[in-house]
């Protein structure tokens, strides 16, 4: 991929430590991370504080879950040489930024995030009327804004959280981005474009702000963009000023929707631990073989001679993930013509899944044998993450007036 050197390519994503991961995580999330690490500056982290918001009653398993999950990341091909891997609770600045952002976060914004009510209903046996749980998406905003990330690869359910993050960034910038440096920077940019242009810009800005004149807005933007004396940063500053915004202290991130088809579980529903229908990334080959063999198929195929329809069979979407075009054709034709039975149809699929598990297990092996290796990777990642977090917190602490020495 070709990139403009000024483009922000920083990418951040987090995962709650739920323990060993399954093929849904692998095909739905991790393969995408592995692709992204080639072209983007990636930060992937263990969202352990987020996990604690719902599993505060069960803290004993956290440690085990964290390391099992990180090993699965590495086993999937996430490369610590290319991406930075860290643990959220190792960077205390996330908590500080969460706190500072909370000062300008209206309660209603959090109460309206769809996952707040949904999860409370879904996990009704748990008391989620907590301050920590309400703050879940704000903590996520702090995670994202801390790294001034441009891209946040997430599944559909997380898009409202990224949307909230954008609103929080805008609000933070509006409150705190107009400090003394702001006025000076505006003056400087104005003098660079000269008296005539700056006079015209100011009057267009006034027309836009006082009369809501969209045309004046467009002309002012055109004027800024076409001014050869201005740097990219200055253009951004002025376009914010035009709209009454402050300096973009914290840039607004964009959600990068992961378009992976949902991996079906052993019963045809979405693969999920809570449905008890998973194949783990590092599962027992014997168990996999048995489980796939006993997967339900198109109910119309009672006898070997009954033709079937792959569209009605939970095994088919797995073929679509695992089998090449020729095998898929073989399945479609054979199923409809009843030229073989379901046991036969599943055979090449089982082989492919086992081959993939072999590769995954091979990559996991050194880390399973030497857990200290995994800890080193995380310590190194935490260090790299801390460096960026410190830069951001310097900007943020000054902006909110917490700079005394
Ligand atoms: N809430 C996310 C999830 O449940 C995990 C997460 C926490 C996250 N912080 C994040 C994802 C920051 C992306 C960016 O999947
Ligand atoms: Fe499913 Fe294959 Fe059986 Fe058809 S032949 S019903 S696709 S398992």
């Amino acid at each position: 991929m070709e990139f403009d050197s000024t483009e922000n390519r920083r990418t951040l994503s987090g995962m709650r430590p739920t323990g060993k991961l399954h093929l849904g995580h692998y095909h739905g999330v991790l393969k995408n991370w592995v692709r992204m690490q080639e072209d983007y500056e990636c930060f992937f982290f263990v969202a352990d504080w987020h996990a604690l918001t719902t599993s505060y009653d069960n803290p004993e398993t956290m440690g085990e879950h964290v390391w099992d999950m990180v090993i699965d990341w590495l086993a999937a091909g996430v490369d610590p040489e290319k991406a930075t891997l860290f643990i959220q609770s190792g960077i205390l600045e996330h908590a500080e930024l969460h706190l500072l952002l909370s000062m300008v976060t209206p309660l209603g914004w959090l109460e309206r995030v769809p996952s707040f009510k949904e999860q409370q209903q879904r996990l009704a046996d748990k008391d989620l009327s907590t301050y920590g749980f309400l703050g879940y998406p704000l903590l996520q905003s702090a995670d994202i804004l801390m790294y001034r990330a441009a891209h946040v690869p997430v599944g559909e359910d997380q898009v409202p959280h990224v949307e909230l993050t954008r609103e929080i960034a805008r609000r933070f910038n509006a409150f705190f981005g107009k400090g003394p440096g702001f006025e000076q920077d505006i003056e400087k940019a104005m003098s660079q474009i000269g008296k005539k242009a700056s006079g015209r810009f100011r009057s267009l800005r006034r027309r836009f702000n006082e009369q809501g004149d969209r045309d004046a807005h467009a002309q002012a933007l055109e004027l800024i963009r076409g001014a050869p004396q201005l740097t990219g940063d200055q253009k951004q500053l002025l376009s914010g000023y035009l709209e009454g915004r402050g300096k973009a202290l914290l840039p607004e991130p964009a959600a990068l929707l992961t378009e992976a088809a949902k991996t079906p579980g052993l019963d045809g529903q979405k693969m999920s631990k809570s449905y008890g229908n998973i194949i783990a990334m590092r599962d027992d080959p014997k168990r996999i073989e048995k489980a796939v063999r006993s997967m339900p198929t198109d109910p119309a195929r009672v006898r070997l001679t009954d033709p079937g329809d792959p569209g009605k069979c939970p095994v088919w979407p797995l073929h679509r993930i695992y089998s090449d075009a020729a095998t898929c054709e073989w399945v479609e034709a054979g199923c409809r013509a009843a030229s073989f039975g379901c046991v036969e149809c599943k055979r090449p699929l089982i082989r492919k899944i086992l081959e993939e598990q072999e590769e995954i297990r091979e990559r996991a092996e050194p880390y399973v044998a030497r857990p200290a290796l995994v800890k080193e990777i995380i310590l190194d990642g935490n260090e790299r993450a801390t460096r960026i977090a410190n830069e951001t917190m310097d900007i943020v602490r000054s902006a909110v007036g917490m700079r005394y020495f």
Side-chain angles (χ1 to χ4, degrees):
M1 230 179 271
E2 288 282 323
F3 285 102
D4 171 350
S5 61
T6 60
E7 188 197 346
N8 179 356
R9 286 193 291 142
R10 199 172 288 155
T11 297
L12 172 110
S13 200
M15 213 189 266
R16 279 169 301 163
T18 48
K20 291 199 171 118
L21 301 180
H22 55 64
L23 294 181
H25 298 113
Y26 179 63
H27 296 293
V29 182
L30 293 176
K31 286 207 316 209
N32 185 46
W33 285 12
V34 170
R35 266 195 307 273
M36 289 200 76
Q37 70 185 357
E38 299 300 328
D39 299 311
Y40 294 82
E41 180 192 357
C42 291
F43 289 77
F44 300 128
F45 75 98
V46 179
D48 56 344
W49 279 336
H50 278 101
L52 204 57
T53 62
T54 52
S55 60
Y56 54 81
D57 53 346
N58 191 20
E60 310 80 35
T61 54
M62 192 71 81
E64 194 188 319
H65 283 179
V66 166
W67 296 121
D68 280 344
M69 185 173 81
V70 175
I71 290 179
D72 278 335
W73 291 1
L74 297 164
V78 176
D79 181 349
E81 300 279 322
K82 294 176 181 151
T84 299
L85 313 183
F86 68 96
I87 297 179
Q88 183 183 37
S89 65
I91 321 287
L92 296 178
E93 285 76 7
H94 285 232
E96 184 184 358
L97 186 56
H98 179 203
L99 177 82
L100 293 175
L101 295 176
S102 79
M103 305 302 167
V104 294
T105 303
L107 264 181
W109 287 17
L110 296 178
E111 288 162 345
R112 275 196 294 275
V113 172
S115 60
F116 180 56
K117 291 241 159 62
E118 274 167 28
Q119 294 287 82
Q120 279 189 332
Q121 275 161 13
R122 214 171 64 85
L123 307 172
D125 53 330
K126 231 167 232 175
D127 181 5
L128 292 181
S129 304
T130 58
Y131 181 53
F133 190 65
L134 179 67
Y136 185 109
L138 187 63
L139 179 59
Q140 183 161 350
S141 302
D143 299 334
I144 298 167
L145 297 175
M146 183 68 83
Y147 300 91
R148 285 163 280 145
H151 311 284
V152 186
V154 283
E156 215 169 342
D157 61 316
Q158 297 292 313
V159 171
H161 294 176
V162 180
E163 209 36 60
L164 175 80
T165 306
R166 297 168 62 82
E167 279 162 22
I168 298 283
R170 234 174 281 148
R171 196 160 155 93
F172 184 91
N173 294 336
F175 270 108
F176 301 115
K178 292 177 180 163
F182 182 64
E183 291 298 329
Q184 276 164 23
D185 289 349
I186 297 291
E187 284 314 315
K188 182 155 172 246
M190 288 283 104
S191 74
Q192 268 168 252
I193 59 173
K195 238 201 182 101
K196 203 166 133 224
S198 65
R200 185 156 166 261
F201 176 76
R202 284 190 199 283
S203 88
L204 288 168
R205 178 173 179 269
R206 208 170 314 113
R207 248 169 64 203
F208 170 60
N209 282 297
E210 287 166 16
Q211 294 145 39
D213 184 340
R214 299 301 308 172
D215 190 44
H217 179 267
Q219 284 180 44
L221 265 191
E222 201 176 309
L223 187 154
I224 302 166
R225 293 209 180 113
Q229 305 94 327
L230 298 174
T231 64
D233 277 354
Q234 282 178 312
K235 287 179 189 176
Q236 224 187 358
L237 181 79
L238 288 181
S239 68
Y241 175 62
L242 171 66
E243 289 158 20
R245 282 185 277 122
K247 206 185 253 181
L249 299 168
L250 300 174
E252 291 176 38
L256 212 64
L257 197 59
T258 314
E259 290 283 10
K262 297 239 182 312
T263 312
L266 290 164
D267 55 358
Q269 293 188 81
K270 177 186 173 213
M271 191 178 283
S272 161
K273 217 169 164 180
S274 53
Y275 297 150
N277 64 359
I278 67 161
I279 298 175
M281 280 176 63
R282 291 174 284 145
D283 214 321
D284 172 28
K286 287 255 159 5
R287 194 194 82 87
I288 294 177
E289 199 169 343
K290 228 172 102 192
V292 176
R293 275 229 208 105
S294 41
M295 272 184 76
T297 59
D298 177 357
R301 295 212 68 188
V302 183
R303 274 172 298 262
L304 208 68
T305 47
D306 294 332
D309 174 1
K312 296 184 181 141
C313 173
V315 178
W316 174 239
L318 283 176
H319 266 301
R320 296 296 303 264
I321 294 175
Y322 280 94
S323 302
D324 55 25
T327 310
C328 285
E329 263 171 50
W330 171 81
V331 171
E332 283 217 273
C335 180
R336 291 184 202 287
S339 58
F340 49 67
C342 294
V343 176
E344 172 111 17
C345 173
K346 289 168 174 176
R347 214 168 274 144
L349 173 63
I350 293 172
R351 193 171 351 105
K352 283 281 186 198
I353 298 176
L354 293 181
E355 273 170 24
E356 180 184 79
Q357 296 253 330
E358 196 63 35
E359 279 170 43
I360 292 175
R361 214 185 320 274
E362 229 164 78
R363 270 194 300 253
E365 204 236 328
Y367 304 110
V368 175
R370 294 185 51 208
L373 223 54
V374 188
K375 295 189 176 162
E376 252 168 64
I377 287 169
I378 291 291
L379 283 176
D380 179 60
N382 276 7
E383 216 170 280
R384 280 192 261 169
T386 300
R387 244 175 278 146
I388 315 260
N390 280 334
E391 282 171 20
T392 303
M393 291 316 295
D394 259 357
I395 299 171
V396 169
R397 289 182 198 126
S398 300
V400 301
M402 309 275 145
R403 168 116 308 155
Y404 307 120
F405 301 99

